[in-house]
Amino acid sequence: MSDNTSPDVAHHLRITGRVQGVSYRAWTQDRARSLGLSGWVQNEADGSVTALVQGPEEAVAALIRAAQDGPTAARVSAVNSTEAAPDDTLIGFGIRR
C-alpha cells in the first residue's frame, strides 16, 4: 500500500559510452521532469555524464531503466547507480554546465 508521504529516494548515476554531444543532458532533464523527479545532470571531463535523481522510488527506477538507452544518437555502455542521501533542498531538475 502506497501513500503520498512515502519518502523520496535518491540515486547518483554515472553514464558511460557515447553520451556527450548527443543531447543526453537535455533528454535526461526532459525525462526526469516528466517523471516528477528533482536533481541535476552534467557532463564530466572524462566523457561520461553524471546525474543525481530524486523522487518516488518507482519514478527513479523508471529513469534508471530509460538511461540504459538514452536519446536516439547515444550509445550507452553502462549506467552505474549508487544510492545517495535524499536532499530536501532540491527543487526541479536542472542541467549543470
Side-chain angles (χ1 to χ4, degrees), residues 10 49 84:
V49 169

Side-chain angles (χ1 to χ4, degrees), residues 16-51:
T16 56
R18 188 163 70 101
V19 293
Q20 289 190 16
V22 294
S23 299
Y24 201 97
R25 292 178 301 162
W27 175 90
T28 302
Q29 182 183 49
D30 289 345
R31 183 62 55 102
R33 286 179 173 174
S34 73
L35 290 167
L37 299 173
S38 56
W40 51 262
V41 61
Q42 69 185 15
N43 285 341
E44 298 297 340
D46 67 0
S48 68
V49 169
T50 57

Side-chain angles (χ1 to χ4, degrees), residues 3-17:
D3 62 43
N4 291 336
T5 61
S6 61
D8 285 348
V9 298
H11 281 257
H12 186 263
L13 308 180
R14 181 170 182 269
I15 302 102
T16 56

Side-chain angles (χ1 to χ4, degrees), residues 69-90:
D69 294 319
T72 306
R75 295 295 174 261
V76 177
S77 299
V79 177
N80 296 312
S81 173
T82 55
E83 286 188 51
D87 179 352
D88 292 338
T89 66
L90 285 175

